[in-house]
Amino acid sequence: MSTAIETKEFQTEIRQLLDIVIHSLYTDREIFLRELISNAADAMEKLRYTQLTGSEVKDQDTALEVHIDTDDNSHTLTITDTGIGMTKEELVGNLGTIAHSGSKEFIKHLTDKGDNKDLNLIGQFGVGFYSAFMVAEKVTITTRSYHLNGETFIWESDGVGSYTITEGEDHVRGTKMVLYLKEDAYEFAKEETVQRVIKQYSSFVPYPILVNGQKVNTVDALWTKNKNEISDNDYNEFYKFIANAYDEPLLRLHFSSDAPLNINTLLFVPKENFEQFGFGRTEPGVSLYCKKVLIQEKSPLVLPEWLRFLKGVIDSEELPLNISRETMQDSALISKLNKVVTSRFLKFLDSQATSEPERFKEFWEKFNFFIKEGAANDFTHQKELVKLLRFESSSTKAGELVSLADYIGRMKEEQSAIYYVNGPSREVIESGPYLEAFRDKGFEVLYTYAAIDDYIFGSIREYEGKKLISADEAELDLGDQIQQERSADALSEEDVLALTSWLKEVLGDKVTEVRESKRLVDSPAVVFSPFGTNSMQRMMQLVNKDLNKVGPSVLEINAAHPMIKRLDNARRNGDAFAQTAAEQIFENAQIAAGLIVDPRSMVNRLNEILERALG
């Protein structure tokens, strides 16, 4: 057998490409192992396909596996596959001339023949192979083609300017690659490092990967399987693996689609929302794959940020990747992928709300803030998100939730709008003055407990043609629906005019207007925020501590309330205590509105009131 060594020069373009690959193409050089394993998997996929077509192959009973051996003493990493192998011409064509993908050439050849059935190639052999030189000072490849009369060849290079090809002794079918590691890359000769990288990037490669004889990729790529073949336990174990979790998921969605994109998706909602416990902002938990190979772990692009609580996998064969597979070039396609998966998940939640209301309620209690965040900011999906919103209301018991659709379904015939009111709790809302007229007329009012709820309602403004109106708006236009008829016990209009003018003078710049209320039933007075709604005022006060002074408000008084009538009597009699009582009535109304009031000025006044009462 001839053992002559042929030395060949890399093409100029290859030298340039090697320099780019080694120094700037990949942001993380451990990616090289993903690339080499993907190429090995492709070699076996080609062999499998060749066998399916009836061709005879060498060592036909040899198992299709990737063997990786580490040697921390000699600082080498050896990757062996039992795939299709390479001829001498293929060695030169794939590794010595201008970079091209052997996998793409294989597919092109089959396509030209009109035959590419059941083929699943993932690698870019000509390009991905060069990533080996990021960590290796020398690479030796021993390869034997699948042809029965094939030969074994040894390719060797330091990745600088040339390579050698030597004919070797007959070898088992496939390719063996030995990487002689650079001094700063000795870590890749350690078994634990190699196992970690494989588990991160190549856990779901469809062929067994054995490191020093131990199989590493032990978890199946469930998202590629038919749902009927997967048990609940399989799903739960897969979730624990990809989410690094110990408990079972709350919800899961598994679907495949071929239009408008070819995608396989498996998403999980965790049992707990750790963000609400103060553990910091949740990082995105859905990873992007292409043909079972990790493209981007915990991708921030593939789903909107408000879905960051989800865990899972999205796999698409249509992703356009740059040469390193690390950056997705077609933002329009990623945007479409984002929209398709998001819409499907929202449709799933909507169906859960109908088919499993208790399970959906549990989801809502733990993850409602994310849905609200989306409804406030994601205008693409806002309509779908608003359908999922749930609230307590004046017609429900504590803990019972209604949707906007539920509310509309039981609106009174004469009612033209959806009414809501914000407060820190149900108790505070129901003890306040803003529900009185609505309660008197039997109109349902939604209870919103978060400032973002009012922001969403202010943003969408209407739902199914019904305006969304806050019950504590100062200029609430209700027509004749809720306006209270003037009580026969009320002060005369002349006395009311005198009293409101006096109150405006006493309260000064604390109010912009004092007027008779047409909505109060039981309370003596009510205030309305100058910022539109009291919830907006509260939010601004929380954000800006300088707003502790509430600012001018509109004050409405109940002219039929005994306290207001006694106040007017004290005013007319010239009682100096009338001013003290007026200021306290005003601040009581502010407190009922949930506004932040400086208590220091109130203490002396309350002491004066108590002294008089006891006196």
Side-chain angles (χ1 to χ4, degrees), residues 157-169:
S157 177
D158 59 4
V160 177
S162 63
Y163 60 92
T164 63
I165 295 181
T166 309
E167 189 173 330
E169 297 182 2

Side-chain angles (χ1 to χ4, degrees), residues 103-120:
S103 296
K104 285 186 176 178
E105 289 294 314
F106 193 82
I107 292 173
K108 183 176 185 300
H109 173 69
L110 295 178
T111 303
D112 291 343
K113 292 170 56 179
D115 180 15
N116 61 353
K117 63 183 179 180
D118 197 27
L119 188 64
N120 184 30

